[in-house]
């Protein structure tokens, strides 16, 4: 690793910005968080904290989105058409690049978590890994051969449409763009809108547990069928519900019905890095920005 100074990272979430500095992605020296309020307030508070941490040589940002990742675009580094009030068009990468005068790496929050788990968590020994977070929204990132998958933009796994479970499953969904896509059916806000409580607060015998597991299992099956991914990591607040990941595994096996090649090599697991996957990913982005 060349250069001097610390790596800095931001996991930019819709509720809070998690900040960190470290000698490497896995040697974190200090962490802090600031609430996600108006952009000018949140960005300023984050920049002020970094200014007190000593010399910084590069910053990585793993941000909620959608975001612009095309380096040739004048909007690179911006949050685009997010439903988060006031944040559409925020030039988050440009702001910190100017304030800190350092190179900036930029990607989605789920891509950050995916590359962190691939390198330092559940991906050990695997060529491919998908990371899916299920919380306020649903998003996913994919790593193949050690590299994040990008294309026209970034993956939006939470906006796939999932089959319903029988004719009685008629909830219209809460996604403002698609209604009953996966995010509209299985995110935290969807669960609260449908059943009036979080999944963790609903009893284990409540129908919500089986139905949410079924929806998420459909996603896992789709990821396996389309990408042949070896490891699927499920994180986010909804997965804190007891027994949910085990239900997802069972449902995914039933949906596949013994068809997909290599199914015995595919695992559905929780994050090895816990709630640090995103910030470790941000520091990986910083390290890559420093080297490039």
């Amino acid at each position: 690793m060349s250069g001097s100074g610390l790596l800095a990272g931001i996991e930019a979430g819709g509720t809070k910005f998690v900040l960190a500095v470290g000698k490497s992605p896995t040697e974190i020296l200090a962490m802090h968080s600031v609430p996600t309020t108006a952009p000018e307030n949140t960005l300023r508070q984050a920049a002020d904290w970094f200014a007190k941490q000593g010399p910084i040589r590069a910053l990585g940002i793993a941000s909620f989105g959608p975001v612009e990742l095309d380096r040739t675009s004048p909007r690179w580094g911006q949050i685009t058409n997010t439903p988060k009030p006031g944040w559409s068009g925020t030039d988050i990468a440009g702001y910190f690049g100017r304030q800190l005068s350092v190179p900036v790496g930029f990607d989605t929050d789920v891509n950050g978590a995916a590359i962190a788990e691939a390198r330092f968590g559940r991906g050990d020994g695997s060529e491919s890994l998908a990371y899916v977070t299920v919380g306020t929204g649903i998003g996913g990132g994919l790593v193949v051969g050690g590299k994040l998958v990008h294309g026209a933009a970034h993956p939006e796994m939470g906006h796939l449409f999932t089959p319903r479970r029988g004719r009685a499953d008629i909830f219209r969904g809460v996604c403002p763009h698609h209604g009953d896509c996966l995010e509209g059916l299985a995110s935290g806000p969807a669960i609260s809108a449908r059943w009036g409580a979080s999944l963790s607060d609903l009893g284990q015998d409540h129908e919500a547990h089986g139905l949410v597991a079924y929806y998420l299992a459909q996603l896992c099956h789709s990821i396996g069928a389309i990408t042949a991914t070896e490891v699927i990591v499920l994180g986010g607040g909804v997965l804190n519900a007891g027994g949910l990941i085990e239900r997802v595994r069972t449902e995914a096996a039933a949906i596949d019905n013994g068809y997909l090649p290599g199914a015995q090599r595919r695992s559905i697991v929780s994050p090895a890095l816990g709630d640090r996957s995103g910030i470790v990913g941000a520091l990986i982005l910083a390290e890559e920005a420093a080297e490039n």
Side-chain angles (χ1 to χ4, degrees):
M1 193 183 305
S2 60
S4 60
L6 299 173
L7 298 175
I10 300 174
E11 181 186 6
T15 302
K16 64 182 177 179
F17 274 38
V18 178
L19 319 174
V21 293
K23 295 180 180 180
S24 74
T26 57
E27 296 177 275
I28 296 175
L29 301 179
M31 292 182 66
H32 182 62
S33 67
V34 297
T36 307
T37 56
E40 57 272 19
N41 294 333
T42 302
L43 301 186
R44 184 184 68 252
Q45 290 178 55
D48 288 347
W49 185 80
F50 284 125
K52 299 173 183 176
Q53 304 310 308
I56 290 172
R57 63 191 184 90
L59 171 71
I61 304 171
S63 176
F64 71 91
V67 298
E68 178 58 77
L69 298 180
D70 181 1
R71 280 273 185 178
T72 66
S73 170
R75 299 182 66 195
W76 175 83
Q78 293 185 19
I79 296 172
T80 59
N81 60 326
T82 179
K84 182 72 174 173
W87 283 83
S88 292
T90 299
D91 184 10
I92 184 171
Y95 175 87
F96 286 105
R98 293 186 297 271
Q99 291 294 313
L100 302 178
S101 298
V102 295
V104 176
F106 184 70
D107 214 313
T108 66
D109 49 359
V110 287
N111 275 352
I115 195 66
E117 285 291 334
R119 294 190 184 179
F120 301 115
R122 295 294 191 181
D124 185 32
S126 301
E127 283 294 309
S128 55
L129 177 145
Y131 182 98
V132 177
T133 185
V134 186
T136 304
I138 297 179
L142 180 63
V143 178
V144 177
K147 300 290 186 181
L148 284 164
V149 172
H150 296 109
H154 47 81
E156 283 287 358
M157 297 181 188
H159 294 273
L160 295 175
F161 288 90
T162 180
R164 298 301 193 97
R165 179 167 255 177
R167 294 183 178 180
D169 185 6
I170 59 172
F171 180 62
R172 296 180 63 184
V174 301
C175 175
H177 297 284
H178 308 121
D180 61 348
C181 62
L182 185 69
E183 183 171 295
L185 294 175
S187 64
I191 294 166
S192 295
R194 186 169 189 173
W195 290 292
S198 70
L199 195 61
S200 295
D201 290 335
L202 295 169
Q204 286 288 315
D205 58 347
H206 194 282
E207 64 168 348
H209 290 266
L211 200 51
V212 170
Y214 171 79
Y215 294 146
L216 296 179
Q218 292 284 352
L219 174 62
C220 290
H221 177 74
S222 295
I223 291 171
I226 295 169
T227 71
T229 301
E230 296 162 88
V231 181
I232 300 173
V233 182
L234 299 181
V238 171
L239 268 296
N240 290 331
L244 180 60
I245 198 163
E246 290 80 10
R247 290 177 187 252
V248 173
R249 291 191 192 110
T250 300
E251 290 282 1
I255 291 165
D256 177 53
N257 198 26
Y259 175 74
L260 288 181
Q264 70 279 4
R265 294 177 53 203
R266 184 172 299 110
S267 57
I268 299 172
V269 294
S270 58
L273 301 176
D275 60 5
R276 287 199 171 192
S277 298
I279 195 62
V280 170
L283 291 167
I284 291 172
L285 296 175
E287 186 174 62
E288 293 178 347
E291 292 173 349
N292 294 331

